[in-house]
Amino acid sequence: MNPPPNPAPFVSAHFRARVVKILLIAGAVATGISSAAEAISLAFPLTDDQEVGDNPIGIALVLIIFLLALVELAIYSATVVFFLMWLYRAHDNLRAFNPWVRTDHSRGWAIGSFFVPFVNLVIPYRAVKEVWQKSGPPDEAFLAEPGPPAFFPAWWVFWLFASITSNISMRLAFNENVPESTATIVSIVAGVLFIVAAVFAYLVVDAIDKRQEETSEKLRLGKLSGPPPPPTNLSMSGIAVATPVSE
């Protein structure tokens, strides 16, 4: 048998997965609070002829929603960055599990497909699904390729619907012919969809992370945590240094 082509070391993506899951939880909480504030604001609508003292609750809610929007944006940006970093590492580990593995999507394309219009409707999901499928031990290749859990397609469906609804909400918000309450209701629906998508995304990341950790243990690949410490019983020239014995 020929030697493995370009054998790759296994580098655990567990830490990155943990960060992504924390950010997903934080984003879902922030979105939930923002959606609740938007729902309450429907009972205290602002009009152009109102002064600050006429509707203090409505003005306070608008300020809270604005601040939460900034928090959501920061969390979302961090989530995107760490999710892609985690996906890159997880995809790179596939060659550590099986040096002969063949993937339909390279690690670069798995990341880049998120930013290509129309392509990002399908390819990112297929790439993530492929990472889960090929994160098992090599002996799975002799059997039928396993299908991912049901929450994988659920994650992607809710993510697409949430993104579409959010875009519609933004367009309605800038349309002067549409009542502000209508844009708010659509925004609340988008928030709920994003929360559900975040829950399924959490399960997706957790499933791939656990699958890779279990496979690495079965194959006894270990985890790279840095170079080993230098030996303490050797001199600079490589000759053992004798330790004097006190009499």
Side-chain angles (χ1 to χ4, degrees):
M1 180 179 293
N2 295 327
N6 301 322
F10 170 75
V11 182
S12 176
H14 182 65
F15 175 76
R16 297 185 183 187
R18 184 185 304 173
V19 174
V20 173
K21 290 188 290 185
I22 292 174
L23 289 172
L24 286 170
I25 294 174
V29 171
T31 301
I33 298 174
S34 178
S35 298
E38 286 182 315
I40 298 174
S41 70
L42 292 174
F44 302 92
L46 294 177
T47 58
D48 296 335
D49 57 346
Q50 284 182 336
E51 296 182 359
V52 176
D54 296 335
N55 191 358
I57 297 178
I59 294 176
L61 288 171
V62 170
L63 179 60
I64 292 173
I65 293 171
F66 174 74
L67 294 176
L68 285 172
L70 297 180
V71 173
E72 287 182 87
L73 179 61
I75 295 176
Y76 177 79
S77 301
T79 304
V80 170
V81 171
F82 276 96
F83 179 87
L84 296 180
M85 290 173 59
W86 162 78
L87 181 59
Y88 187 90
R89 173 66 57 78
H91 193 290
D92 200 38
N93 281 334
L94 300 183
R95 288 194 303 115
F97 300 146
N98 183 2
W100 292 277
V101 67
R102 291 187 178 183
T103 59
D104 296 329
H105 311 89
S106 66
R107 56 186 177 181
W109 183 232
I111 306 302
S113 60
F114 280 89
F115 304 98
V116 180
F118 300 108
V119 171
N120 57 10
L121 298 177
V122 178
I123 300 302
Y125 169 71
R126 291 182 177 178
V128 172
K129 180 181 72 171
E130 185 176 51
V131 170
W132 184 89
Q133 291 176 320
K134 298 185 182 299
S135 290
D139 54 5
E140 283 190 357
F142 297 99
L143 306 175
E145 198 166 60
F151 52 78
F152 270 70
W155 155 63
W156 194 246
V157 169
F158 274 99
W159 165 252
L160 291 179
F161 276 114
S163 300
I164 294 172
T165 308
S166 178
N167 289 333
I168 294 175
S169 173
M170 292 182 60
R171 293 178 182 274
L172 293 177
F174 289 103
N175 191 336
E176 297 180 354
N177 298 324
V178 177
E180 185 176 349
S181 59
T182 302
T184 301
I185 293 174
V186 176
S187 177
I188 294 173
V189 173
V192 173
L193 292 174
F194 270 121
I195 292 174
V196 177
V199 172
F200 286 125
Y202 181 101
L203 296 176
V204 167
V205 174
D206 187 63
I208 294 177
D209 179 48
K210 288 181 178 178
R211 185 164 165 82
Q212 290 206 344
E213 293 297 308
E214 291 173 358
T215 300
S216 68
E217 291 181 3
K218 290 181 181 179
L219 300 179
R220 298 181 180 179
L221 296 178
K223 304 175 183 179
L224 294 183
S225 57
T232 57
N233 61 335
L234 296 179
S235 66
M236 297 297 296
S237 61
I239 303 176
V241 178
T243 303
V245 180
S246 58
E247 298 180 356

